Amino acid sequence: MTRTTKVSLIVNGKGHSLEVDNRTTLLDLLREHLHLTGTKKGCDHGQCGACTVMVDGRRINSCLTLAVMHEHNEITTIEGLGEPGNLHPMQAAFVKHDGFQCGYCTPGQICSAVAVLEEIKSNIPSHVTGDLTAQAEATPGELRERMSGNICRCGAYSNIIDAVAEVSGRKA
Amino acid sequence: MKAFTYERAASIEAATKAAEANPEAKFIAGGTNILDLMKLEIETPTHLIDVNGLGLDKIEPTPEGGVRIGALVRNTDLAADERIRRDYGLLSRALVAGASGQLRNKATTAGNLLQRTRCPYFYDTNQPCNKRQPGSGCSAIGGITRQHAVVGTSESCIATHPSDMAIAMRTLDAVIETVNADGVRRSIPIADFHRLPGDTPERDTVLEKGEFVTAAMLPPPIGGKHIYRKVRDRASYAFALVSVGAVIQSDGTGRVAVGGIAHKPWRMETADAELPKGARAASSVLLSDARPTDQNRFKVALVERTLSAVIAEAKG
Ligand SMILES: Cc1cc2nc3c(=O)[nH]c(=O)nc-3n(C[C@H](O)[C@H](O)[C@H](O)COP(=O)(O)OP(=O)(O)OC[C@H]3O[C@@H](n4cnc5c(N)ncnc54)[C@H](O)[C@@H]3O)c2cc1C
Ligand code: SF4
Protein backbone atom coordinates (compact mmCIF):
# COMPACT_ATOMS: atom_id res chain seq x y z
CA MET A 1 0.00 0.00 0.00
CA THR A 2 1.15 3.53 -0.67
CA ARG A 3 1.28 6.58 1.49
CA THR A 4 -0.77 8.63 -0.93
CA THR A 5 -4.44 8.29 -1.83
CA LYS A 6 -6.62 9.67 -4.58
CA VAL A 7 -9.54 11.77 -3.45
CA SER A 8 -12.33 13.51 -5.35
CA LEU A 9 -14.30 16.23 -3.67
CA ILE A 10 -16.37 19.28 -4.49
CA VAL A 11 -15.18 22.60 -3.13
CA ASN A 12 -17.46 25.61 -3.46
CA GLY A 13 -19.34 23.87 -6.26
CA LYS A 14 -16.28 22.88 -8.25
CA GLY A 15 -15.04 19.28 -8.53
CA HIS A 16 -11.41 18.42 -7.78
CA SER A 17 -9.58 15.11 -8.09
CA LEU A 18 -6.12 14.82 -6.68
CA GLU A 19 -3.66 12.40 -5.16
CA VAL A 20 -2.38 13.53 -1.77
CA ASP A 21 -0.10 12.33 1.01
CA ASN A 22 -2.39 10.57 3.50
CA ARG A 23 -1.26 13.00 6.19
CA THR A 24 -2.76 15.99 4.38
CA THR A 25 -5.50 17.53 6.49
CA LEU A 26 -8.55 18.97 4.77
CA LEU A 27 -7.22 22.37 5.84
CA ASP A 28 -3.88 21.82 4.11
CA LEU A 29 -5.61 20.50 1.00
CA LEU A 30 -7.67 23.68 0.79
CA ARG A 31 -4.78 26.03 1.44
CA GLU A 32 -1.74 24.32 -0.07
CA HIS A 33 -3.25 22.34 -2.95
CA LEU A 34 -6.29 24.39 -3.99
CA HIS A 35 -4.83 27.75 -2.89
CA LEU A 36 -8.02 28.68 -1.09
CA THR A 37 -6.26 30.60 1.64
CA GLY A 38 -9.38 32.16 3.14
CA THR A 39 -9.59 29.25 5.59
CA LYS A 40 -6.99 29.92 8.27
CA LYS A 41 -4.64 27.73 10.26
CA GLY A 42 -4.61 28.87 13.87
CA CYS A 43 -3.79 26.24 16.49
CA ASP A 44 -3.98 23.21 14.14
CA HIS A 45 -5.44 21.20 17.07
CA GLY A 46 -9.16 21.93 16.96
CA GLN A 47 -8.99 24.45 19.77
CA CYS A 48 -9.44 27.80 18.02
CA GLY A 49 -11.96 27.36 15.20
CA ALA A 50 -10.06 29.47 12.61
CA CYS A 51 -10.14 26.51 10.19
CA THR A 52 -13.93 26.03 10.34
CA VAL A 53 -15.51 25.02 7.02
CA MET A 54 -18.75 23.30 6.12
CA VAL A 55 -18.80 19.72 4.89
CA ASP A 56 -22.13 18.61 3.43
CA GLY A 57 -23.65 21.59 5.22
CA ARG A 58 -22.17 20.91 8.67
CA ARG A 59 -19.38 22.92 10.25
CA ILE A 60 -16.21 21.11 11.25
CA ASN A 61 -12.60 21.93 12.11
CA SER A 62 -10.78 21.26 8.84
CA CYS A 63 -7.49 20.81 10.74
CA LEU A 64 -8.65 17.67 12.57
CA THR A 65 -9.76 15.67 9.57
CA LEU A 66 -7.82 14.04 6.73
CA ALA A 67 -8.47 15.16 3.17
CA VAL A 68 -8.67 11.51 2.08
CA MET A 69 -11.64 11.00 4.41
CA HIS A 70 -13.73 13.38 2.30
CA GLU A 71 -14.28 11.39 -0.88
CA HIS A 72 -17.30 12.88 -2.73
CA ASN A 73 -18.04 15.39 0.04
CA GLU A 74 -19.17 18.94 -0.69
CA ILE A 75 -17.00 21.51 1.06
CA THR A 76 -17.97 25.15 1.50
CA THR A 77 -15.29 27.63 2.52
CA ILE A 78 -15.48 31.36 3.14
CA GLU A 79 -14.73 31.91 -0.57
CA GLY A 80 -17.80 29.86 -1.43
CA LEU A 81 -20.14 31.84 0.81
CA GLY A 82 -19.63 35.12 -1.01
CA GLU A 83 -17.07 37.42 -2.53
CA PRO A 84 -16.47 41.18 -2.63
CA GLY A 85 -19.39 42.72 -4.47
CA ASN A 86 -21.56 39.72 -3.71
CA LEU A 87 -21.32 39.16 0.02
CA HIS A 88 -23.22 36.54 1.96
CA PRO A 89 -25.57 38.27 4.45
CA MET A 90 -23.37 37.02 7.31
CA GLN A 91 -20.26 38.53 5.71
CA ALA A 92 -22.10 41.83 5.21
CA ALA A 93 -23.29 41.79 8.83
CA PHE A 94 -19.72 41.25 10.11
CA VAL A 95 -18.61 44.30 8.10
CA LYS A 96 -21.55 46.38 9.29
CA HIS A 97 -21.09 45.49 12.98
CA ASP A 98 -17.30 45.60 12.92
CA GLY A 99 -17.16 41.95 13.94
CA PHE A 100 -13.37 41.71 13.71
CA GLN A 101 -10.15 43.56 14.22
CA CYS A 102 -7.16 41.71 12.73
CA GLY A 103 -9.49 39.44 10.73
CA TYR A 104 -7.60 36.18 11.17
CA CYS A 105 -10.40 34.30 12.92
CA THR A 106 -13.11 35.90 10.77
CA PRO A 107 -13.51 33.28 7.98
CA GLY A 108 -13.94 30.61 10.66
CA GLN A 109 -16.30 32.81 12.68
CA ILE A 110 -18.46 33.46 9.61
CA CYS A 111 -18.60 29.81 8.47
CA SER A 112 -19.44 28.81 12.03
CA ALA A 113 -22.11 31.50 12.37
CA VAL A 114 -23.85 30.48 9.14
CA ALA A 115 -23.92 26.87 10.34
CA VAL A 116 -25.06 27.86 13.86
CA LEU A 117 -28.22 29.44 12.48
CA GLU A 118 -28.91 26.26 10.50
CA GLU A 119 -28.32 24.15 13.63
CA ILE A 120 -30.85 26.23 15.55
CA LYS A 121 -33.36 25.87 12.69
CA SER A 122 -32.82 22.09 12.76
CA ASN A 123 -33.46 22.19 16.52
CA ILE A 124 -30.08 20.84 17.60
CA PRO A 125 -29.78 21.52 21.34
CA SER A 126 -26.90 23.33 23.05
CA HIS A 127 -25.51 23.47 26.57
CA VAL A 128 -27.74 26.46 27.41
CA THR A 129 -30.95 25.14 25.85
CA GLY A 130 -33.54 25.19 28.65
CA ASP A 131 -36.14 22.66 27.56
CA LEU A 132 -34.75 19.77 25.52
CA THR A 133 -38.15 19.01 24.05
CA ALA A 134 -38.89 22.57 22.85
CA GLN A 135 -37.71 24.32 19.67
CA ALA A 136 -34.27 25.96 20.06
CA GLU A 137 -34.15 29.74 19.66
CA ALA A 138 -31.47 32.16 18.50
CA THR A 139 -31.19 34.07 21.78
CA PRO A 140 -27.91 35.92 22.48
CA GLY A 141 -27.10 33.32 25.15
CA GLU A 142 -27.59 30.51 22.65
CA LEU A 143 -25.45 32.28 20.04
CA ARG A 144 -22.62 32.85 22.51
CA GLU A 145 -22.62 29.22 23.63
CA ARG A 146 -22.82 27.87 20.10
CA MET A 147 -20.01 30.16 18.90
CA SER A 148 -17.66 29.17 21.75
CA GLY A 149 -15.57 26.95 19.46
CA ASN A 150 -14.34 30.06 17.64
CA ILE A 151 -11.78 32.04 19.57
CA CYS A 152 -11.12 35.72 18.70
CA ARG A 153 -7.76 36.97 19.92
CA CYS A 154 -8.82 40.60 19.41
CA GLY A 155 -11.93 40.07 21.53
CA ALA A 156 -14.50 41.23 18.97
CA TYR A 157 -17.04 38.90 20.56
CA SER A 158 -19.82 41.37 21.32
CA ASN A 159 -19.79 42.74 17.77
CA ILE A 160 -19.70 39.20 16.37
CA ILE A 161 -22.82 38.35 18.38
CA ASP A 162 -24.51 41.55 17.12
CA ALA A 163 -23.76 40.49 13.54
CA VAL A 164 -25.03 36.94 13.98
CA ALA A 165 -28.11 38.13 15.85
CA GLU A 166 -28.98 40.53 13.04
CA VAL A 167 -28.80 37.77 10.43
CA SER A 168 -30.90 35.53 12.67
CA GLY A 169 -33.60 38.21 12.63
CA ARG A 170 -33.28 39.09 16.33
CA LYS A 171 -31.57 41.94 18.12
CA ALA A 172 -28.68 40.97 20.45
CA MET B 1 3.14 13.40 11.77
CA LYS B 2 4.63 10.02 10.84
CA ALA B 3 3.69 8.66 7.41
CA PHE B 4 1.03 5.94 7.26
CA THR B 5 -0.96 3.93 4.78
CA TYR B 6 -4.73 4.41 4.64
CA GLU B 7 -7.74 2.35 3.70
CA ARG B 8 -11.48 2.89 3.67
CA ALA B 9 -12.85 -0.28 5.25
CA ALA B 10 -15.64 -1.87 3.22
CA SER B 11 -17.11 -3.93 6.08
CA ILE B 12 -16.73 -4.46 9.82
CA GLU B 13 -15.07 -7.77 9.03
CA ALA B 14 -12.58 -6.13 6.68
CA ALA B 15 -11.83 -3.47 9.30
CA THR B 16 -11.14 -5.98 12.08
CA LYS B 17 -9.09 -8.22 9.75
CA ALA B 18 -6.99 -5.23 8.69
CA ALA B 19 -6.42 -4.37 12.35
CA GLU B 20 -5.41 -7.93 13.10
CA ALA B 21 -2.98 -8.01 10.17
CA ASN B 22 -1.06 -4.96 11.37
CA PRO B 23 -0.52 -4.51 15.12
CA GLU B 24 0.40 -0.88 14.46
CA ALA B 25 -2.87 -0.10 12.70
CA LYS B 26 -5.56 2.11 14.23
CA PHE B 27 -9.19 2.78 13.42
CA ILE B 28 -10.12 6.34 12.58
CA ALA B 29 -13.68 7.59 13.13
CA GLY B 30 -14.22 11.34 13.59
CA GLY B 31 -10.47 11.74 13.83
CA THR B 32 -10.73 14.59 16.35
CA ASN B 33 -8.67 12.84 19.00
CA ILE B 34 -6.41 10.50 17.08
CA LEU B 35 -5.25 13.11 14.54
CA ASP B 36 -4.52 15.57 17.33
CA LEU B 37 -2.35 12.90 18.97
CA MET B 38 -0.74 11.86 15.67
CA LYS B 39 0.33 15.44 14.97
CA LEU B 40 2.17 15.38 18.28
CA GLU B 41 3.51 11.86 17.56
CA ILE B 42 1.93 10.57 20.75
CA GLU B 43 0.07 8.10 18.54
CA THR B 44 2.14 6.75 15.63
CA PRO B 45 0.03 4.23 13.71
CA THR B 46 1.59 2.95 10.48
CA HIS B 47 -1.83 2.25 9.00
CA LEU B 48 -5.22 3.95 9.41
CA ILE B 49 -8.48 2.09 8.88
CA ASP B 50 -11.27 4.54 8.09
CA VAL B 51 -14.50 3.12 9.55
CA ASN B 52 -16.80 5.98 8.53
CA GLY B 53 -18.40 4.13 5.63
CA LEU B 54 -19.76 1.14 7.55
CA GLY B 55 -23.34 2.29 8.08
CA LEU B 56 -23.01 2.26 11.88
CA ASP B 57 -24.65 5.66 12.16
CA LYS B 58 -28.14 4.66 13.29
CA ILE B 59 -30.01 4.99 16.56
CA GLU B 60 -32.51 2.15 16.76
CA PRO B 61 -35.02 0.88 19.32
CA THR B 62 -34.15 -2.49 20.90
CA PRO B 63 -36.67 -5.30 21.52
CA GLU B 64 -36.21 -4.72 25.28
CA GLY B 65 -37.44 -1.12 24.96
CA GLY B 66 -34.04 0.59 25.03
CA VAL B 67 -31.96 2.04 22.20
CA ARG B 68 -28.95 0.87 20.27
CA ILE B 69 -26.59 3.68 19.30
CA GLY B 70 -24.30 2.88 16.37
CA ALA B 71 -20.60 3.41 17.02
CA LEU B 72 -20.38 6.03 14.26
CA VAL B 73 -23.36 8.16 15.34
CA ARG B 74 -22.02 11.71 15.62
CA ASN B 75 -22.21 13.39 19.02
CA THR B 76 -24.42 16.14 17.53
CA ASP B 77 -26.91 13.65 16.10
CA LEU B 78 -27.06 11.68 19.33
CA ALA B 79 -27.67 14.81 21.40
CA ALA B 80 -30.38 15.96 18.97
CA ASP B 81 -32.21 12.64 18.67
CA GLU B 82 -35.81 12.93 19.78
CA ARG B 83 -35.86 9.73 21.88
CA ILE B 84 -32.58 10.57 23.56
CA ARG B 85 -33.82 14.06 24.45
CA ARG B 86 -37.08 12.73 25.79
CA ASP B 87 -36.04 9.52 27.56
CA TYR B 88 -32.31 9.90 28.22
CA GLY B 89 -31.98 13.68 28.62
CA LEU B 90 -28.86 13.21 30.72
CA LEU B 91 -27.04 11.87 27.66
CA SER B 92 -28.02 14.86 25.49
CA ARG B 93 -26.98 17.23 28.27
CA ALA B 94 -23.59 15.57 28.75
CA LEU B 95 -22.87 15.58 25.03
CA VAL B 96 -23.60 19.27 24.52
CA ALA B 97 -21.49 20.10 27.59
CA GLY B 98 -18.46 18.71 25.76
CA ALA B 99 -16.12 20.18 23.14
CA SER B 100 -17.56 22.61 20.52
CA GLY B 101 -20.28 22.49 17.87
CA GLN B 102 -17.67 21.82 15.18
CA LEU B 103 -16.07 18.96 17.10
CA ARG B 104 -19.39 17.36 18.03
CA ASN B 105 -20.33 17.29 14.34
CA LYS B 106 -17.37 14.95 13.74
CA ALA B 107 -16.91 13.13 17.05
CA THR B 108 -18.48 9.67 17.21
CA THR B 109 -19.93 7.52 19.98
CA ALA B 110 -17.04 5.03 19.95
CA GLY B 111 -14.37 7.70 19.47
CA ASN B 112 -15.74 9.69 22.39
CA LEU B 113 -15.60 6.66 24.71
CA LEU B 114 -12.07 5.91 23.53
CA GLN B 115 -10.64 9.43 23.68
CA ARG B 116 -7.44 9.62 25.66
CA THR B 117 -6.61 11.59 28.78
CA ARG B 118 -5.90 15.33 28.77
CA CYS B 119 -3.08 15.01 31.31
CA PRO B 120 -0.65 17.74 30.15
CA TYR B 121 2.34 15.47 30.71
CA PHE B 122 0.80 12.83 28.48
CA TYR B 123 0.71 15.54 25.80
CA ASP B 124 4.30 16.68 26.38
CA THR B 125 6.57 14.16 24.67
CA ASN B 126 9.61 15.62 26.45
CA GLN B 127 8.33 14.38 29.81
CA PRO B 128 8.18 10.86 31.21
CA CYS B 129 4.66 9.40 31.20
CA ASN B 130 3.72 5.80 31.93
CA LYS B 131 0.58 6.04 29.86
CA ARG B 132 2.42 7.25 26.76
CA GLN B 133 5.63 5.31 27.34
CA PRO B 134 5.17 2.44 29.79
CA GLY B 135 7.84 2.29 32.46
CA SER B 136 9.15 5.83 31.89
CA GLY B 137 7.60 7.22 35.08
CA CYS B 138 4.77 9.60 35.91
CA SER B 139 5.56 13.30 35.70
CA ALA B 140 2.26 14.29 37.22
CA ILE B 141 3.03 12.67 40.57
CA GLY B 142 4.92 15.43 42.36
CA GLY B 143 4.14 17.83 39.49
CA ILE B 144 1.22 20.09 38.67
CA THR B 145 -1.89 18.09 39.53
CA ARG B 146 -4.78 20.51 39.68
CA GLN B 147 -6.76 18.62 37.01
CA HIS B 148 -5.79 15.10 38.05
CA ALA B 149 -7.67 12.24 39.64
CA VAL B 150 -8.45 12.02 43.34
CA VAL B 151 -9.84 8.45 43.48
CA GLY B 152 -8.78 5.15 41.96
CA THR B 153 -5.27 6.44 41.31
CA SER B 154 -2.11 4.31 41.39
CA GLU B 155 1.62 4.78 41.88
CA SER B 156 1.90 4.67 38.08
CA CYS B 157 -0.72 7.17 36.94
CA ILE B 158 -3.17 9.75 38.32
CA ALA B 159 -4.81 10.77 35.03
CA THR B 160 -8.55 11.30 34.52
CA HIS B 161 -10.79 10.16 31.71
CA PRO B 162 -12.02 13.33 30.00
CA SER B 163 -15.30 12.21 28.39
CA ASP B 164 -18.55 13.90 29.39
CA MET B 165 -20.64 11.45 27.38
CA ALA B 166 -19.18 8.49 29.27
CA ILE B 167 -20.44 9.91 32.58
CA ALA B 168 -24.00 9.90 31.26
CA MET B 169 -23.57 6.42 29.81
CA ARG B 170 -22.28 5.14 33.15
CA THR B 171 -25.27 6.63 34.98
CA LEU B 172 -27.60 5.06 32.42
CA ASP B 173 -25.88 1.62 32.57
CA ALA B 174 -24.96 1.49 28.88
CA VAL B 175 -23.51 -1.71 27.44
CA ILE B 176 -20.75 -1.50 24.84
CA GLU B 177 -20.91 -4.01 21.98
CA THR B 178 -17.73 -5.14 20.26
CA VAL B 179 -16.50 -7.64 17.70
CA ASN B 180 -13.02 -8.92 16.93
CA ALA B 181 -11.35 -10.30 13.79
CA ASP B 182 -12.61 -13.83 14.56
CA GLY B 183 -16.16 -12.54 14.69
CA VAL B 184 -16.35 -13.02 18.47
CA ARG B 185 -18.79 -10.53 19.98
CA ARG B 186 -18.72 -9.08 23.48
CA SER B 187 -21.26 -7.00 25.40
CA ILE B 188 -19.30 -5.05 27.99
CA PRO B 189 -21.20 -3.15 30.72
CA ILE B 190 -19.77 0.37 30.79
CA ALA B 191 -18.83 -0.14 34.44
CA ASP B 192 -16.22 -2.65 33.23
CA PHE B 193 -15.26 -0.90 29.98
CA HIS B 194 -12.87 1.78 31.27
CA ARG B 195 -10.06 0.60 33.57
CA LEU B 196 -8.31 1.96 36.61
CA PRO B 197 -4.63 2.67 35.86
CA GLY B 198 -3.04 0.12 38.23
CA ASP B 199 0.41 -0.68 36.91
CA THR B 200 -0.72 -0.68 33.25
CA PRO B 201 -1.96 2.89 32.68
CA GLU B 202 -1.22 2.54 28.95
CA ARG B 203 -4.50 0.60 28.75
CA ASP B 204 -7.49 2.91 29.12
CA THR B 205 -10.14 0.25 28.51
CA VAL B 206 -10.56 -3.53 28.47
CA LEU B 207 -10.66 -3.58 24.65
CA GLU B 208 -8.22 -6.05 23.12
CA LYS B 209 -5.93 -5.08 20.26
CA GLY B 210 -8.01 -4.75 17.09
CA GLU B 211 -11.34 -5.18 18.90
CA PHE B 212 -13.93 -2.99 17.23
CA VAL B 213 -16.79 -1.17 18.94
CA THR B 214 -20.03 -1.55 16.99
CA ALA B 215 -22.59 0.10 19.29
CA ALA B 216 -23.60 1.34 22.72
CA MET B 217 -26.89 -0.05 24.08
CA LEU B 218 -29.06 1.81 26.54
CA PRO B 219 -31.51 -0.16 28.69
CA PRO B 220 -35.17 0.94 28.76
CA PRO B 221 -35.75 4.46 30.13
CA ILE B 222 -35.96 4.83 33.90
CA GLY B 223 -37.79 8.17 34.11
CA GLY B 224 -36.73 10.68 36.78
CA LYS B 225 -35.02 14.04 36.43
CA HIS B 226 -31.96 13.94 34.21
CA ILE B 227 -29.26 16.42 35.18
CA TYR B 228 -25.68 16.91 34.02
CA ARG B 229 -23.72 19.60 35.82
CA LYS B 230 -20.20 20.39 34.68
CA VAL B 231 -17.84 22.66 36.61
CA ARG B 232 -14.93 24.04 34.61
CA ASP B 233 -12.55 26.97 34.38
CA ARG B 234 -14.70 28.79 31.80
CA ALA B 235 -18.38 28.62 31.02
CA SER B 236 -18.01 26.82 27.70
CA TYR B 237 -15.53 24.79 25.65
CA ALA B 238 -13.38 23.43 28.46
CA PHE B 239 -12.91 20.02 30.05
CA ALA B 240 -14.49 19.33 33.43
CA LEU B 241 -12.79 19.90 36.73
CA VAL B 242 -15.70 17.98 38.20
CA SER B 243 -18.94 16.91 36.58
CA VAL B 244 -21.97 15.16 38.00
CA GLY B 245 -24.44 13.12 35.96
CA ALA B 246 -27.55 12.09 37.83
CA VAL B 247 -31.01 10.67 37.43
CA ILE B 248 -33.11 11.55 40.48
CA GLN B 249 -36.60 10.16 41.07
CA SER B 250 -39.39 12.13 42.78
CA ASP B 251 -38.89 10.12 46.01
CA GLY B 252 -35.25 11.26 46.19
CA THR B 253 -33.73 7.93 45.15
CA GLY B 254 -31.51 7.84 42.10
CA ARG B 255 -28.13 7.27 40.52
CA VAL B 256 -25.07 9.40 40.20
CA ALA B 257 -21.75 9.20 38.33
CA VAL B 258 -18.93 11.70 38.66
CA GLY B 259 -16.45 12.90 36.02
CA GLY B 260 -13.12 14.66 36.32
CA ILE B 261 -12.04 12.74 39.42
CA ALA B 262 -10.90 9.32 38.19
CA HIS B 263 -9.43 7.25 35.37
CA LYS B 264 -12.98 6.12 34.58
CA PRO B 265 -16.52 7.39 35.15
CA TRP B 266 -16.87 7.17 38.92
CA ARG B 267 -20.04 5.55 40.21
CA MET B 268 -20.72 3.39 43.24
CA GLU B 269 -24.05 1.72 43.74
CA THR B 270 -23.44 2.05 47.51
CA ALA B 271 -23.33 5.83 47.02
CA ASP B 272 -26.56 5.76 44.97
CA ALA B 273 -28.22 4.18 48.00
CA GLU B 274 -27.22 7.22 50.11
CA LEU B 275 -28.72 9.77 47.70
CA PRO B 276 -32.01 10.20 49.58
CA LYS B 277 -29.94 11.30 52.60
CA GLY B 278 -28.33 14.06 50.59
CA ALA B 279 -25.14 15.15 48.87
CA ARG B 280 -22.86 14.81 51.87
CA ALA B 281 -23.85 11.20 52.52
CA ALA B 282 -23.51 10.14 48.87
CA SER B 283 -20.29 11.99 48.16
CA SER B 284 -18.60 10.72 51.30
CA VAL B 285 -19.16 7.17 50.01
CA LEU B 286 -17.97 8.11 46.52
CA LEU B 287 -14.81 9.69 47.88
CA SER B 288 -14.16 7.47 50.89
CA ASP B 289 -10.91 6.23 49.33
CA ALA B 290 -9.88 9.59 47.87
CA ARG B 291 -6.18 10.37 47.85
CA PRO B 292 -6.05 13.96 46.61
CA THR B 293 -2.91 16.05 46.30
CA ASP B 294 -2.66 19.50 47.84
CA GLN B 295 -3.42 20.95 44.40
CA ASN B 296 -6.57 18.97 43.67
CA ARG B 297 -8.01 18.56 47.17
CA PHE B 298 -10.61 21.17 46.14
CA LYS B 299 -12.26 18.50 43.99
CA VAL B 300 -13.37 16.60 47.07
CA ALA B 301 -15.41 19.58 48.29
CA LEU B 302 -16.47 20.41 44.75
CA VAL B 303 -18.06 16.98 44.20
CA GLU B 304 -20.25 17.42 47.28
CA ARG B 305 -21.26 20.97 46.31
CA THR B 306 -21.97 20.06 42.71
CA LEU B 307 -24.04 17.07 43.79
CA SER B 308 -25.85 19.26 46.28
CA ALA B 309 -26.75 21.68 43.44
CA VAL B 310 -27.91 18.76 41.32
CA ILE B 311 -30.18 17.44 44.08
CA ALA B 312 -31.59 20.93 44.63
CA GLU B 313 -32.26 21.28 40.90
CA ALA B 314 -34.02 17.90 40.87
CA LYS B 315 -36.32 19.02 43.70
CA GLY B 316 -36.96 22.43 42.11
C1 LIG C 1 -10.33 21.31 21.61
C2 LIG C 1 -11.07 20.10 22.09
C3 LIG C 1 -11.93 20.18 23.16
C4 LIG C 1 -12.62 19.06 23.61
N1 LIG C 1 -13.46 19.16 24.69
C5 LIG C 1 -14.10 18.04 25.14
C6 LIG C 1 -14.95 18.11 26.29
O1 LIG C 1 -15.14 19.16 26.90
N2 LIG C 1 -15.55 16.96 26.70
C7 LIG C 1 -15.38 15.77 26.04
O2 LIG C 1 -15.97 14.78 26.46
N3 LIG C 1 -14.58 15.68 24.98
C8 LIG C 1 -13.94 16.79 24.51
N4 LIG C 1 -13.11 16.69 23.42
C9 LIG C 1 -12.79 15.37 22.88
C10 LIG C 1 -13.76 14.88 21.84
O3 LIG C 1 -14.98 14.56 22.46
C11 LIG C 1 -13.11 13.65 21.20
O4 LIG C 1 -12.03 14.07 20.42
C12 LIG C 1 -14.08 12.87 20.33
O5 LIG C 1 -15.21 12.46 21.04
C13 LIG C 1 -13.37 11.66 19.72
O6 LIG C 1 -14.23 11.03 18.79
P1 LIG C 1 -13.74 10.73 17.29
O7 LIG C 1 -14.82 9.98 16.62
O8 LIG C 1 -13.27 11.96 16.63
O9 LIG C 1 -12.52 9.76 17.63
P2 LIG C 1 -11.21 9.40 16.80
O10 LIG C 1 -10.20 10.45 16.99
O11 LIG C 1 -11.55 9.01 15.40
O12 LIG C 1 -10.78 8.06 17.57
C14 LIG C 1 -10.41 8.07 18.94
C15 LIG C 1 -9.90 6.67 19.29
O13 LIG C 1 -10.94 5.71 19.21
C16 LIG C 1 -10.59 4.64 18.35
N5 LIG C 1 -11.83 4.24 17.67
C17 LIG C 1 -12.69 5.06 17.01
N6 LIG C 1 -13.78 4.35 16.61
C18 LIG C 1 -13.60 3.09 17.04
C19 LIG C 1 -14.40 1.90 16.96
N7 LIG C 1 -15.60 1.89 16.36
N8 LIG C 1 -13.93 0.77 17.52
C20 LIG C 1 -12.71 0.75 18.15
N9 LIG C 1 -11.92 1.85 18.24
C21 LIG C 1 -12.37 3.00 17.71
C22 LIG C 1 -9.53 5.20 17.42
O14 LIG C 1 -8.66 4.20 16.95
C23 LIG C 1 -8.81 6.17 18.36
O15 LIG C 1 -7.85 5.48 19.11
C24 LIG C 1 -12.43 17.82 22.94
C25 LIG C 1 -11.58 17.73 21.84
C26 LIG C 1 -10.90 18.85 21.41
C27 LIG C 1 -9.98 18.73 20.23
S1 SF4 D 1 -0.81 10.93 35.28
FE1 SF4 D 1 -0.81 9.23 33.82
S2 SF4 D 1 -0.98 10.30 31.87
FE2 SF4 D 1 -0.27 11.85 33.35
S3 SF4 D 1 1.99 11.79 33.33
FE3 SF4 D 1 1.33 10.35 34.90
S4 SF4 D 1 1.28 8.41 33.78
FE4 SF4 D 1 1.21 9.98 32.22
Side-chain angles (χ1 to χ4, degrees), chain A residues 45-170:
Chain A
H45 288 280
Q47 299 173 3
C48 77
C51 68
T52 304
V53 300
M54 280 177 271
V55 175
D56 295 338
R58 305 179 80 167
R59 59 180 171 145
I60 66 163
N61 301 98
S62 61
C63 76
L64 279 190
T65 189
L66 296 173
V68 296
M69 294 168 75
H70 292 283
E71 180 77 349
H72 303 318
N73 286 170
E74 283 194 35
I75 321 290
T76 305
T77 69
I78 189 72
E79 292 92 341
L81 282 181
E83 283 173 321
N86 183 25
L87 293 181
H88 183 280
M90 192 65 77
Q91 292 170 316
F94 268 65
V95 173
K96 177 177 162 194
H97 290 277
D98 211 6
F100 47 84
Q101 206 176 101
C102 81
Y104 198 78
C105 72
T106 314
Q109 298 278 2
I110 291 175
C111 285
S112 211
V114 169
V116 159
L117 296 186
E118 286 306 312
E119 288 167 14
I120 293 174
K121 266 192 213 142
S122 326
N123 200 20
I124 289 165
S126 88
H127 178 56
V128 300
T129 305
D131 179 356
L132 279 180
T133 56
Q135 171 64 43
E137 286 187 68
T139 61
E142 281 279 6
L143 298 180
R144 275 195 285 273
E145 163 60 25
R146 289 170 192 266
M147 291 295 292
S148 73
N150 292 82
I151 311 293
C152 171
R153 184 64 180 75
C154 305
Y157 296 111
S158 59
N159 293 357
I160 291 170
I161 295 301
D162 287 347
V164 186
E166 178 173 293
V167 179
S168 80
R170 296 173 69 120

Side-chain angles (χ1 to χ4, degrees), chain B residues 117 119-122 128-132 137-141 148 156-159 201:
Chain B
T117 186
C119 169
Y121 300 104
F122 173 76
C129 165
N130 287 324
K131 190 181 276 298
R132 176 166 32 75
C138 171
S139 302
I141 296 175
H148 288 79
S156 303
C157 178
I158 59 169

Side-chain angles (χ1 to χ4, degrees), chain B residues 27 29-34 99 108 111-112 114-115 164 212-213 230 239:
Chain B
F27 302 119
T32 61
N33 190 226
I34 194 166
T108 63
N112 192 317
L114 293 166
Q115 64 175 295
D164 291 295
F212 180 76
V213 174
K230 180 174 179 181
F239 287 94

